[in-house]
Amino acid sequence: MNNLHGILLVIASMAAFTLEDMFIKQMAGSLPVGEILICLGLGCGLIFAVMAKLQGNALFAPRAWRLKPVLRAGTEAVSAMGFASALALVDISTVAAVFQATPLVITMGAALFLGEDVGWRRWLAICTGFAGVLLIIRPGLDGFEPAALLVIVAVLGVAARDLMTRVMDSAVPSSVVSFQAYLSLVLAGGLLLAFTPGEARMLEGGEYGMMLGGIIFGVMGYYGIVVAMRIGDASAVTPFRYTRLLFSILVGVIVFGERPDTLTLAGASLIIGSGLYTFVREQRLARRARRAAAAAAAA
């Protein structure tokens, strides 16, 4: 039952993140991306600050502001700048498709920087997934959109964030980590406003509703995925993260009139297939290691 609840929460979280992306893309037509990030960071950060206080967690405890948590927040800022900028310039379905390569990059980073053992099968899956990314971005071909490379920046930022999460102090509460993440969006937005075209202005009319929607669905998605990973087995709930691509394609078609072409869909299929294989392989090796450890302890 916990796994079922976890799966439903993951699916709901992916739908919420997609709606947040939709509002960001809509607002980017009239507002600078930097201003959007600042408003989202302030709104979501305030909500997580209140949650932390209600849970009795100190927002500015020294343990939470050591080097690793701060670096993690910095990688969050990098990924937010890349992802939001890509949403403003590229089809939402393309952004979501490339973003699905994140688990593959995390596996590669764990092998390169954390010393985790990655066999030839998973390396082959990683290469296959990257081939899918190339199919979608198409560098050097007529359909190449340079702005799509911003999604790669976001993928690298999220992968670095998750790798930092593995090595940082686990005693730092999730609500405080979330507050730090959204605080970093304010800094990221300020950098974008300083170094990219466009000037901040007051929101007008429907922009208030879209910003509120982005904040509400952003918090729902972020909190939902944290709860899902805590109540369900990772092997059961993680594959359902890929529903985000389905939701993004639907929003792209219905709201923005997008029509993903054959190469984009083929590339997305390669990325998802290789990602699922990598995940299944990791779970199988983990079970084998646990059985070996249990046998050694019993002997």
Side-chain angles (χ1 to χ4, degrees), residues 281-293:
R281 182 68 181 170
E282 288 175 351
Q283 294 301 310
R284 186 176 299 165
L285 292 174
R287 286 195 298 270
R288 188 180 301 170
R290 287 194 295 269
R291 286 197 296 267

Side-chain angles (χ1 to χ4, degrees), residues 246-266:
L246 174 61
F247 293 135
S248 296
I249 290 175
L250 290 174
V251 166
V253 171
I254 296 171
V255 179
F256 299 106
E258 300 173 3
R259 295 293 183 270
D261 59 22
T262 303
L263 283 180
T264 297
L265 295 175

Side-chain angles (χ1 to χ4, degrees), residues 12 46 95 131 140 143 169 181 184 188 216 242 256 288 298:
L46 178 61
V95 173
D169 189 349
S184 75
I216 291 173
Y242 289 111
F256 299 106
R288 188 180 301 170

Side-chain angles (χ1 to χ4, degrees), residues 124-214:
L124 182 59
I126 290 170
C127 292
T128 302
F130 288 160
V133 172
L134 292 177
L135 276 179
I136 297 169
I137 297 179
R138 281 161 260 180
L141 301 180
D142 291 338
F144 174 57
E145 293 185 76
L149 296 175
L150 291 168
V151 193
I152 302 297
V153 174
V155 168
L156 293 174
V158 170
R161 178 199 69 188
D162 286 0
L163 291 172
M164 288 298 302
T165 303
R166 294 188 185 186
V167 298
M168 65 179 278
D169 189 349
S170 60
V172 180
S174 297
S175 56
V176 176
V177 173
S178 300
F179 168 75
Q180 291 174 323
Y182 280 105
L183 183 62
S184 75
L185 261 64
V186 178
L187 301 177
L191 287 174
L192 284 178
L193 279 179
F195 296 105
T196 58
E199 295 184 0
R201 61 168 175 81
M202 291 295 295
L203 303 183
E204 299 175 352
E207 291 170 346
Y208 283 101
M210 288 188 286
M211 186 63 71
L212 180 61

Side-chain angles (χ1 to χ4, degrees), residues 55-140:
Q55 294 167 357
N57 299 320
L59 286 175
F60 296 100
R63 167 178 283 178
W65 295 92
R66 292 173 180 167
L67 180 61
K68 289 178 181 177
V70 171
L71 285 177
R72 182 195 182 280
T75 60
E76 191 85 60
V78 171
S79 65
M81 286 191 288
F83 193 83
S85 298
L87 276 175
L89 301 170
V90 184
D91 287 353
I92 189 173
S93 52
T94 299
V95 173
V98 176
F99 197 69
Q100 302 310 309
T102 302
L104 298 172
V105 178
I106 293 172
T107 299
M108 182 178 69
L112 296 177
F113 301 111
L114 300 184
E116 293 188 11
D117 184 27
V118 174
W120 68 269
R121 293 180 181 86
R122 281 186 287 170
W123 278 115
L124 182 59
I126 290 170
C127 292
T128 302
F130 288 160
V133 172
L134 292 177
L135 276 179
I136 297 169
I137 297 179
R138 281 161 260 180

